[in-house]
Amino acid sequence: MMCSSGYSAMDPTRDMLGQYLKMGPATSLKLNIHGRSSDKIDKILIDIYRNNGFQPFWITNGKPSQRAKDIFAVLRDADKHGLNPSRYLVNNISQFWKSDDTASLVRLDIVLTLGMVRYVADQREGGLDPRQIDPELFATARDVEVDWKAVFQTAFKTQDIKTFLVNQAPPFLQYKLLQKKLAEYRMIVSAGGWPSVPAGEVLKPGKAGSRVKSLRRRLAITGELIVKNTESTVFDQHLMDAVKKFQTRHNLSPDGIIGGRTLLALNVPVESRIQQIIINMERYRWLKRQNNVQMVAVNIAAFEVIAGRPGKFDISMPVIVGKNYHETPVFNDTIKYVVFNPYWNLTPSIARNETLPRLKKDPNYLQKQNMRIFQGWQSDAVELDPATIDWSTVSEKQMDQYHVRQDPGPNNALGTLKLIFPNKYNVYLHDTPSHNLFKRDKRALSHGCIRMARPAEMAAWVLGGEKKGWSVQRVNDIVATGKRQVVTLDQPMPIFILYRTASVLEDGELYFYNDIYGRDKLLMQSLSGASS
């Protein structure tokens, strides 16, 4: 005789399993998995076990199977991924692990299932949902789309559950490198951390004292100073070289001198750096899983763009990104074409907030800037003579009716070319006439678009390079014509606009970057809540 829930009352295991599922284990644990309420999870659990004939998945012959042992081992080691094992019910699993009665074994099977499901969900989508932290700021920070039905069909059927779970971690090389650095920095913590360097006058070659000794010990711990003598109180050439290396790894001007900014970076606690590593590992869980394809990647926080394949980049150059209140957004897209000698179509906000005030002061401003003005944004909009407009009477709202365009030329704000990946933010990569700005350490200076230090080199690369006849010289020759020209890529190329404040570069070193938009701070505040 079958019970209404679909399990046989004659089978004690099946009967017990059905009873516990009816009681709502996820509800009793107050479990929420990626926006799914505990009540909904309990319904999903019943469906999962019904498909298995209300039999345990992980218990064999009255004890945990090898698959159960593999799941438990992976969940216990979740901290190696910067994840909190308690989030995956390891304490509940431990409570029932050595049980031999049916009721406890059934509970063990259920909590193993719940722990495994939550672990897979976190690895595939992230333990944090950035959109819940700030729906506007992080609107496109996460773009993964997981076929959960297919994933869990594989999970419950596979015999090699350990390999399955290992493969749920982000497959990106950078993630694996950060994971390795996480282990190294945790070893620093276990060894006592690193000393702070006391505040005082600027330290530079020739200085001496106990602060120099603290500096030596600090740099020896993170590997910048490779000398046995950390007790010397003299600031010598070896120490200066170590300071320069530290400054390079922290995106500071490598002058070898301990000023205020370098001192602040030195004295960031190792625990904070560990959090920074974990946050940046988390960000890789938000990305779609890509094959080993050629791509362009911008790291906003590092003020850098790179191009090539993961782990082997052909190009790296400085960029300028959006300033505060004009922050460059995080998103992924595909580069489709290159525009040589482009027009600059001023956005309504720039025309309204910046151009109009200048016109009120100088009615000839547009002519001086090689700009033209049109009555609207239609392709056939009538061009106007700015001299016929009384700019002193034009309001900000009225300015929105005009389309202001800067023609190609040496002073064009977009410079000689731009790389277009059509997106709702109207963000693209482009040249700039103000190349002196690349000398600055802090380069959050634009209205949101990304300015490149060597645009001709990037344009030649995305168009196929020498193999397809695109040399830097050819790019420069087209620019020299002064004529606008659009060249479509043979194959659209993925571009990732990222925000990474910790990254391992090709030299194997870990580099840290300032949290210029305060995004790490927001995520760290949410990290503790997501750990439970």
Side-chain angles (χ1 to χ4, degrees):
M1 180 176 177
M2 298 297 293
C3 295
S4 59
S5 59
Y7 55 87
S8 170
M10 301 300 292
D11 184 335
T13 301
R14 183 179 299 177
D15 185 60
M16 191 71 70
L17 183 57
Q19 288 183 33
Y20 278 115
L21 289 171
K22 277 186 173 182
M23 292 167 62
T27 301
S28 65
L29 291 168
K30 298 179 181 179
L31 205 61
N32 179 296
I33 300 178
H34 292 233
R36 299 170 184 86
S37 66
S38 56
D39 180 63
K40 186 172 183 179
I41 295 168
D42 282 325
K43 291 178 181 177
I44 293 171
L45 264 182
I46 290 174
D47 287 339
I48 288 171
Y49 279 97
R50 179 183 289 115
N51 291 334
N52 198 45
F54 286 98
Q55 290 294 325
F57 284 100
W58 323 114
I59 306 300
T60 303
N61 298 325
K63 60 182 180 180
S65 66
Q66 184 58 50
R67 291 204 301 165
K69 294 175 183 176
D70 289 340
I71 293 172
F72 195 18
V74 170
L75 301 186
R76 280 194 308 245
D77 287 344
D79 62 332
K80 292 181 179 178
H81 294 271
L83 302 170
N84 189 340
S86 65
R87 181 171 165 83
Y88 311 110
L89 310 179
V90 294
N91 293 332
N92 304 76
I93 294 169
S94 296
Q95 177 183 351
F96 301 118
W97 188 255
K98 294 184 178 180
S99 303
D100 55 11
D101 61 288
T102 301
S104 296
L105 288 172
V106 162
R107 291 184 179 185
L108 173 61
D109 201 86
I110 292 172
V111 292
L112 277 167
T113 295
L114 287 171
M116 185 269 290
V117 167
R118 197 177 205 185
Y119 177 83
V120 173
D122 282 359
Q123 287 286 40
R124 296 294 294 240
E125 289 186 349
L128 296 174
D129 184 346
R131 293 165 297 193
Q132 291 184 354
I133 298 168
D134 189 319
E136 184 175 349
L137 178 60
F138 295 109
T140 54
R142 190 170 89 178
D143 65 351
V144 288
E145 296 177 2
V146 179
D147 184 347
W148 286 114
K149 186 175 181 180
V151 169
F152 288 120
Q153 279 180 346
T154 303
F156 288 109
K157 290 179 180 178
T158 183
Q159 290 303 307
D160 190 359
I161 191 70
K162 184 175 183 180
T163 298
F164 169 81
L165 292 175
V166 168
N167 289 340
Q168 299 313 301
F172 308 105
L173 174 62
Q174 187 61 215
Y175 179 89
K176 295 180 176 70
L177 294 173
L178 285 172
Q179 186 181 13
K180 182 179 178 181
K181 293 299 179 182
L182 174 62
E184 292 176 9
Y185 272 62
R186 282 175 168 165
M187 288 179 65
I188 291 174
V189 171
S190 64
W194 55 56
S196 61
V197 179
E201 64 179 7
V202 172
L203 289 176
K204 55 186 177 180
K207 294 288 185 179
S210 59
R211 292 177 65 227
V212 174
K213 184 190 292 187
S214 296
L215 176 61
R216 285 181 175 275
R217 291 176 176 174
R218 166 65 182 84
L219 295 178
I221 288 172
T222 44
E224 289 88 1
L225 186 63
I226 313 297
V227 293
K228 294 181 179 179
N229 183 12
T230 58
E231 298 302 309
S232 172
T233 59
V234 178
F235 199 125
D236 57 15
Q237 183 63 46
H238 288 298
L239 184 55
M240 182 179 183
D241 292 341
V243 171
K244 287 182 177 180
K245 186 175 181 181
F246 175 88
Q247 290 169 325
T248 299
R249 287 184 53 228
H250 292 77
N251 213 27
L252 300 166
S253 293
D255 57 11
I257 297 172
I258 306 298
R261 290 180 63 197
T262 301
L263 185 66
L264 282 174
L266 284 164
N267 288 338
V268 171
V270 63
E271 292 82 5
S272 296
R273 292 303 187 194
I274 286 174
Q275 272 197 314
Q276 201 169 344
I277 294 169
I278 290 172
I279 283 294
N280 284 279
M281 290 174 67
E282 169 73 1
R283 287 183 167 116
Y284 281 98
R285 299 186 183 102
W286 304 343
L287 292 178
K288 288 180 182 177
R289 302 188 174 203
Q290 297 275 348
N291 294 324
N292 185 28
V293 296
Q294 289 211 347
M295 64 180 182
V296 175
V298 175
N299 185 350
I300 298 168
F303 308 117
E304 181 182 46
V305 60
I306 55 180
R309 296 181 187 275
K312 190 179 185 302
F313 291 103
D314 303 318
I315 300 176
S316 172
M317 70 181 71
V319 296
I320 291 168
V321 300
K323 54 191 171 184
N324 286 335
Y325 305 109
H326 293 285
E327 297 177 5
T328 299
V330 170
F331 66 102
N332 307 324
D333 219 300
T334 53
I335 301 172
K336 295 185 177 177
Y337 55 95
V338 179
V339 181
F340 296 95
N341 299 308
Y343 299 124
W344 178 38
N345 295 296
L346 281 67
T347 63
S349 63
I350 293 176
R352 182 173 60 246
N353 299 323
E354 299 181 25
T355 306
L356 180 59
R358 289 167 181 164
L359 278 168
K360 289 180 181 292
K361 292 180 180 180
D362 180 4
N364 295 316
Y365 174 77
L366 294 183
Q367 295 94 315
K368 291 177 181 178
Q369 297 298 318
N370 197 27
M371 291 179 177
R372 300 158 71 183
I373 189 166
F374 300 84
Q375 184 69 58
W377 286 79
Q378 302 86 354
S379 59
D380 60 349
V382 176
E383 183 174 357
L384 304 175
D385 181 354
T388 63
I389 301 173
D390 184 358
W391 294 105
S392 66
T393 65
V394 176
S395 67
E396 291 183 356
K397 184 177 181 180
Q398 290 171 326
M399 190 66 183
D400 287 346
Q401 69 184 298
Y402 299 119
H403 169 198
V404 181
R405 186 182 80 190
Q406 187 178 41
D407 285 342
N411 295 321
N412 185 285
L414 305 185
T416 59
L417 60 85
K418 61 181 180 178
L419 277 60
I420 300 297
F421 34 103
N423 59 84
K424 66 180 182 180
Y425 303 105
N426 199 27
V427 165
Y428 41 85
L429 295 171
H430 66 88
D431 183 21
T432 174
S434 304
H435 279 262
N436 59 307
L437 297 177
F438 289 105
K439 297 177 182 178
R440 299 188 185 183
D441 290 340
K442 298 179 178 180
R443 295 191 295 276
L445 305 167
S446 79
H447 287 89
C449 283
I450 302 151
R451 308 174 194 171
M452 300 176 286
R454 302 191 303 280
E457 185 179 340
M458 182 64 76
W461 187 87
V462 300
L463 288 169
E466 296 281 359
K467 290 182 179 179
K468 293 191 175 180
W470 282 100
S471 64
V472 172
Q473 184 60 52
R474 182 180 177 185
V475 170
N476 288 333
D477 288 345
I478 295 175
V479 168
T481 68
K483 296 180 180 179
R484 184 175 182 271
Q485 182 175 337
V486 178
V487 179
T488 302
L489 274 64
D490 291 342
Q491 181 70 38
M493 180 170 294
I495 180 166
F496 296 84
I497 312 297
L498 308 172
Y499 189 88
R500 301 288 185 267
T501 57
S503 185
V504 181
L505 300 192
E506 289 181 332
D507 60 3
E509 297 287 353
L510 178 59
Y511 288 71
F512 292 105
Y513 307 102
N514 288 334
D515 183 19
I516 59 173
Y517 294 160
R519 296 178 181 179
D520 276 11
K521 185 177 180 180
L522 283 175
L523 295 176
M524 286 177 182
Q525 288 172 350
S526 301
L527 190 63
S528 58
S531 296
S532 59

